[in-house]
Amino acid sequence: MARPHFPESVYRLKPDESYCFACHPEVACFTECCRMLELALTPYDILRLRRGTGLSSQQLHDQYIIEERGEQDMFPKFYLTMVDDGRASCVFVGKDGCKIYTHRPGACRAYPLGRAAVRTRSGELKQHFVLLKENHCKGFDEPQEQTPQIYSKDQGLTEYNAYNDALAGLIQHDQIRQGKFMPNKEQLALYTLALHNLDVFREKLVSGELNVTSYPEEIVLDDEKLLLYAIDWLKIIFFPED
Ligand code: SF4
Ligand code: SF4
């Protein structure tokens, strides 16, 4: 049931609340949701896009990613480029669907579900789900029963959520929530480097350019471990008194 403070097409859901939905190549709207969209990318999305495309993080940024920081934004945001084909299609959509399906971003996996993870004052992470019912999406006519928990697991969101939740420890840090921190130009550059340009971050770490005297050896060969290290490294730089 829609709650009064959400727009008409957005429904708040409990993790085990059921709804009918399925998406597959036979739906009349197949790939419609891959057009006319703002696709925000998380650091883990970019890590997986590198894997899916075989491009370096720098090449990805140069070819497919737009960086923006609005006046109200503490940190820059990163979006996937859309093609100028009159339908603003995603760069990765083809007639048979997503060309990087195995490594598609978390938002593509989740749609039409939305998840927000919020840290409480006690440090506990609480997740909230919403369902976005848009007219073009015919998946709601399918009989398959879902819940946010089942759908998230089926769509491979568990690991995406885990890395995004790790990031929440940085971007929802108490000092940020209390308005006591504002990144300077150099810190913003480090944020982009460490989280969104992992290959160059690794190069600079190994070459000593970042003045890090020691780090766990395994992060050099393991992208996921490197990303978690980068999040912790930024926490130390931003909040040294922790
Ligand atoms: S990345 Fe794939 S699933 Fe996501 S919008 Fe693009 S084509 Fe669609
Ligand atoms: S609009 Fe809905 S049903 Fe159609 S392809 Fe996208 S998610 Fe699937």
Side-chain angles (χ1 to χ4, degrees):
M1 189 170 68
R3 308 293 155 90
H5 54 285
F6 282 111
E8 216 172 295
S9 57
V10 180
Y11 298 77
R12 199 165 180 170
L13 284 180
K14 294 184 187 131
D16 58 353
E17 198 169 332
S18 62
Y19 58 98
C20 285
F21 179 82
C23 176
H24 49 79
E26 282 72 45
V27 290
C29 53
F30 187 54
T31 74
E32 276 310 302
C33 52
C34 299
R35 306 171 205 281
M36 308 280 288
L37 76 160
E38 267 195 356
L39 183 42
L41 300 170
T42 67
Y44 186 64
D45 286 334
I46 295 176
L47 183 161
R48 294 292 296 263
L49 283 178
R50 283 165 61 233
R51 207 164 278 161
T53 58
L55 297 174
S56 70
S57 54
Q58 189 61 58
Q59 288 170 321
L60 260 182
H61 275 269
D62 293 345
Q63 293 179 34
Y64 295 128
I65 295 176
I66 297 167
E67 179 176 347
E68 279 179 6
R69 181 170 178 241
E71 278 182 17
Q72 305 297 322
D73 295 331
M74 174 153 302
F75 296 112
K77 293 185 173 137
F78 298 82
Y79 297 93
L80 193 61
T81 318
M82 297 296 138
V83 179
D84 188 12
D85 63 351
R87 304 175 70 193
S89 302
C90 172
V91 283
F92 296 122
V93 69
K95 68 176 173 45
D96 297 322
C98 179
K99 295 178 192 166
I100 50 148
Y101 187 78
T102 308
H103 298 288
R104 68 198 185 284
C108 307
R109 292 169 189 266
Y111 184 84
L113 196 64
R115 173 184 182 266
V118 182
R119 276 177 71 240
T120 62
R121 286 190 184 282
S122 62
E124 190 193 350
L125 207 68
K126 288 217 160 191
Q127 55 176 359
H128 304 276
F129 293 100
V130 291
L131 198 60
L132 180 61
K133 280 196 164 186
E134 294 185 293
N135 287 338
H136 68 251
C137 181
K138 305 302 176 202
F140 292 102
D141 298 338
E142 301 286 311
Q144 195 172 327
E145 207 167 292
Q146 311 279 1
T147 68
Q149 279 170 338
I150 292 171
Y151 192 67
S152 300
K153 190 162 177 279
D154 287 352
Q155 293 297 313
L157 275 164
T158 310
E159 57 204 296
Y160 284 72
N161 291 343
Y163 289 102
N164 294 343
D165 292 349
L167 180 66
L170 173 73
I171 60 178
Q172 294 182 24
H173 190 278
D174 281 346
Q175 287 205 35
I176 291 179
R177 296 189 329 170
Q178 292 163 11
K180 294 179 181 166
F181 174 80
M182 184 53 71
N184 58 33
K185 212 171 156 192
E186 191 192 345
Q187 288 169 325
L188 285 172
L190 292 177
Y191 177 90
T192 297
L193 169 73
L195 299 182
H196 299 88
N197 205 341
L198 266 191
D199 297 322
V200 179
F201 176 63
R202 178 190 284 112
E203 280 167 27
K204 288 180 183 280
L205 188 68
V206 171
S207 70
E209 213 178 311
L210 297 174
N211 295 324
V212 177
T213 47
S214 73
Y215 49 80
E217 258 179 43
E218 65 266 22
I219 64 171
V220 177
L221 296 174
D222 187 314
D223 288 343
E224 272 81 354
K225 285 182 180 160
L226 181 63
L227 177 57
L228 292 176
Y229 175 85
I231 292 170
D232 286 342
W233 180 75
L234 285 173
K235 276 192 218 161
I236 293 168
I237 294 201
F238 292 177
F239 315 112
E241 63 281 7
D242 271 9

